[in-house]
Amino acid sequence: MKRISLIMLLALCITIGGVYATWVYSQSDDVADITGAKAVTMTEATFTGTYGTYSVDTTGLTMVVDPKENTTHTTALKIDGDLVIKFTPNTYAPTEVKTNGVPSTFAFSLSNSDWKYEGLDIMTIDTAKHDITWTPDGAGAFTYTIPADDLAGYITFTEFNLDTKADYDAYDLVLTNGQIVVSVSDGKNASTIVNN
């Protein structure tokens, strides 16, 4: 039987907006143009004969660039909510897997290695693999939750002064060129064959 690598990729979108504060610029009768972005993601892949499937839920997570506290035009990343990773064992998985889940890791990356504004990185991110400690969800699956404060610890966000609406527009345009990607894996790959 082949063991297939269970890898889940999910892109997290960062938008520029006014959730916590408002970007205010002096203008005439022109209504300020803005853009909104949402990550396009794929549904999880399922393989027959494997121990189960991963999923990542970001429905309760927001990542927005707002003015930094006590400033009017300095960028700050505001993160709210949780990122939830889930492992659901298959019906015929071994008892050990149904009891404890599978050893798994998560890692972050950026979808665009050249995600820059004015020659500086929008952000840098911790790309190391981190072990997952599963918590049973009471319904036969396992979850691992990364709260907003913990998620912020993996990200180093670069501050920019968007002093004019033109600066705001230029930054907003660049912001849509990248995403944070979450990878979840059991460390096995599709070429690993196990003989029983």
Side-chain angles (χ1 to χ4, degrees):
M1 170 196 322
K2 284 188 179 179
R3 283 202 181 150
I4 307 294
S5 174
L6 301 175
I7 297 178
M8 177 69 191
L9 297 175
L10 182 71
L12 303 176
C13 189
I14 299 173
T15 58
I16 187 168
V19 174
Y20 302 89
T22 304
W23 296 94
V24 179
Y25 296 98
S26 299
Q27 277 197 223
S28 60
D29 59 355
D30 182 17
V31 177
D33 298 337
I34 62 168
T35 60
K38 182 67 177 171
V40 177
T41 60
M42 296 179 66
T43 55
E44 333 46 88
T46 302
F47 301 100
T48 59
T50 63
Y51 287 164
T53 57
Y54 294 120
S55 61
V56 178
D57 183 4
T58 61
T59 54
L61 181 68
T62 59
M63 302 176 78
V64 178
V65 177
D66 264 342
K68 184 179 178 180
E69 192 173 337
N70 299 320
T71 74
T72 54
H73 297 140
T74 302
T75 60
L77 181 62
K78 308 290 185 183
I79 305 174
D80 267 335
D82 299 324
L83 184 152
V84 181
I85 300 169
K86 184 176 183 178
F87 171 71
T88 305
N90 281 337
T91 303
Y92 302 106
T95 302
E96 172 68 17
V97 171
K98 290 181 178 178
T99 304
N100 300 308
V102 292
S104 305
T105 61
F106 71 92
F108 296 107
S109 62
L110 297 176
S111 65
N112 181 351
S113 61
D114 194 37
W115 197 13
K116 298 180 185 294
Y117 176 72
E118 294 185 337
L120 298 174
D121 291 328
I122 295 285
M123 68 178 66
T124 56
I125 195 159
D126 174 358
T127 58
K129 289 183 180 177
H130 301 277
D131 291 331
I132 292 175
T133 302
W134 294 117
T135 301
D137 72 352
F142 300 87
T143 60
Y144 180 76
T145 301
I146 304 173
D149 287 345
D150 292 350
L151 183 57
Y154 296 103
I155 300 167
T156 302
F157 190 74
T158 306
E159 292 183 1
F160 295 97
N161 183 27
L162 308 181
D163 213 24
T164 67
K165 179 59 168 60
D167 294 338
Y168 173 98
D169 290 342
Y171 183 84
D172 188 28
L173 184 64
V174 170
L175 199 59
T176 62
N177 292 335
Q179 297 174 348
I180 298 173
V181 178
V182 183
S183 302
V184 182
S185 178
D186 65 354
K188 298 178 177 72
N189 60 47
S191 63
T192 303
I193 299 176
V194 177
N195 295 320
N196 291 335

